[in-house]
Amino acid sequence: MSSDTLAKSAAVPETPDGPDLPRIVPQRRLGQWTAAAVVLVLLGLAVNSVLRNDAFQWGVVADYFTSDAVLRGLWLTLWLTSVVMVLGFALGTLLAAFRLSANPVLRAVSWGYVWLFRSIPILVQLLLWFNIGALYPQILGVKTVDLLGPVTVAVIGLTLHEAAYAAEVVRGGILAVDRGQIEAAQALGLSRWRRWRRIVLPQAMRSIVPPAGNMLIGTLKGTSIVSVIAVQDLLYSVQLVYHRTYQVIPLLMVATVWYTVVTSLLGVGQHYVEKHYARGTERTR
């Protein structure tokens, strides 16, 4: 028997059923399990401190959670978010088309709009629109203060701000579509509208939906800033209550829980919309 045969026999002992293969032992990750245990302990302590801290006044939170004032503010917040997203993406899509146009004037106007409204903080924009009457006391013969109320100012300011970001989201989604597919559609004689509706948009939505969903959630939370111009959204509604009752923390917790609930629902919806448009791709979730 050769030396190689002897070495193999010593390394893998023979059994009646065949060679006794070495047992695979999973790698021990003691550090990871220790870190996980520490995180769970800290998380448990934090949750316990919140639930058992009487200063949160959870009874007061429960009393005001579904009060009429809070629900009216929540409804206005949801309405404002919906209107701003629809108008913002409509204007943003138009700006994206300008940016992708062969016309240099349209490209310059679109670029300038995006640059300007992304450069100015949204709070500054809202305050400028709220005080626009100082620059233009009348518009079409009507006093500006009568024409532009707080809610109208909020819609205008948030929409113009949102459109600047929506334009880049839509433009990025369109540019993500393989140019060869568009050229193939042209070779087949498809009209411009059919190319956009059947080929470009379905594929662009895969890139548009994730950031658009994040923008929707960001817009919902961002509407809280309109409280500075006395729009009675969710935050402003709870502020009116705690200015009267001096129960600041529990009323802020009411707003916090409502924002958390709504954003969580939007996140679930975003997941299924992304899954719908990701059909046929390898990286589906």
Side-chain angles (χ1 to χ4, degrees):
M1 183 179 296
S2 65
S3 58
D4 292 342
T5 304
L6 291 174
K8 291 181 180 179
S9 300
V12 182
E14 291 288 340
T15 63
D17 297 330
D20 186 10
L21 299 177
R23 184 167 60 93
I24 299 176
V25 179
Q27 182 180 1
R28 302 182 186 278
R29 296 181 173 87
L30 182 59
Q32 293 184 9
W33 285 107
T34 302
V38 172
V39 170
L40 288 176
V41 170
L42 294 177
L43 181 61
L45 292 175
V47 172
N48 182 68
S49 68
V50 170
L51 296 178
R52 297 175 65 87
N53 190 337
D54 295 334
F56 282 100
Q57 302 181 52
W58 293 110
V60 178
V61 174
D63 291 338
Y64 283 101
F65 191 70
T66 55
S67 63
D68 292 339
V70 171
L71 292 180
R72 284 195 300 269
L74 175 63
W75 167 249
L76 182 57
T77 293
L78 296 176
W79 177 85
L80 190 59
T81 301
S82 303
V83 171
V84 168
M85 283 297 296
V86 171
L87 296 179
F89 263 87
L91 179 57
T93 302
L94 181 62
L95 291 170
F98 284 179
R99 188 73 179 274
L100 297 173
S101 171
N103 190 312
V105 175
L106 296 181
R107 290 202 308 270
V109 169
S110 176
W111 181 89
Y113 180 98
V114 173
W115 166 77
L116 180 63
F117 282 92
R118 290 202 307 180
S119 302
I120 305 174
I122 181 59
L123 178 57
V124 177
Q125 295 182 43
L126 286 176
L127 292 176
L128 285 173
W129 282 106
F130 190 68
N131 295 281
I132 196 68
L135 295 175
Y136 303 97
Q138 290 188 346
I139 299 177
L140 300 176
V142 182
K143 289 185 178 180
T144 305
V145 293
D146 297 331
L147 187 62
L148 299 178
V151 176
T152 305
V153 168
V155 171
I156 293 174
L158 292 176
T159 297
L160 295 178
H161 177 79
E162 197 80 7
Y165 291 90
E168 292 300 283
V169 170
V170 174
R171 185 175 70 92
I174 293 174
L175 291 177
V177 179
D178 186 5
R179 181 65 185 175
Q181 298 194 36
I182 301 176
E183 294 175 351
Q186 291 175 332
L188 291 174
L190 295 180
S191 64
R192 185 180 183 87
W193 167 245
R194 292 192 65 187
R195 290 199 303 269
W196 278 89
R197 184 171 61 90
R198 302 296 299 273
I199 296 177
V200 176
L201 287 181
Q203 297 183 71
M205 290 298 289
R206 297 173 184 170
S207 301
I208 292 174
V209 168
N214 293 333
M215 286 180 59
L216 174 60
I217 294 175
T219 300
L220 174 71
K221 296 184 296 182
T223 55
S224 61
I225 203 171
V226 301
S227 61
V228 300
I229 56 175
V231 175
Q232 294 190 18
D233 69 321
L234 177 59
L235 179 59
Y236 192 79
S237 297
V238 301
Q239 287 177 329
L240 290 177
V241 176
Y242 72 61
H243 285 157
R244 186 178 69 252
T245 64
Y246 301 102
Q247 296 170 317
V248 178
I249 297 299
L251 267 301
L252 288 178
M253 291 305 300
V254 170
T256 300
V257 174
W258 268 123
Y259 280 121
T260 303
V261 169
V262 177
T263 54
S264 299
L265 293 175
L266 292 177
V268 172
Q270 177 186 353
H271 167 75
Y272 284 104
V273 173
E274 289 183 16
K275 189 175 181 180
H276 171 76
Y277 283 104
R279 290 179 304 177
T281 61
E282 297 180 358
R283 297 183 59 183
T284 57
R285 295 188 297 276

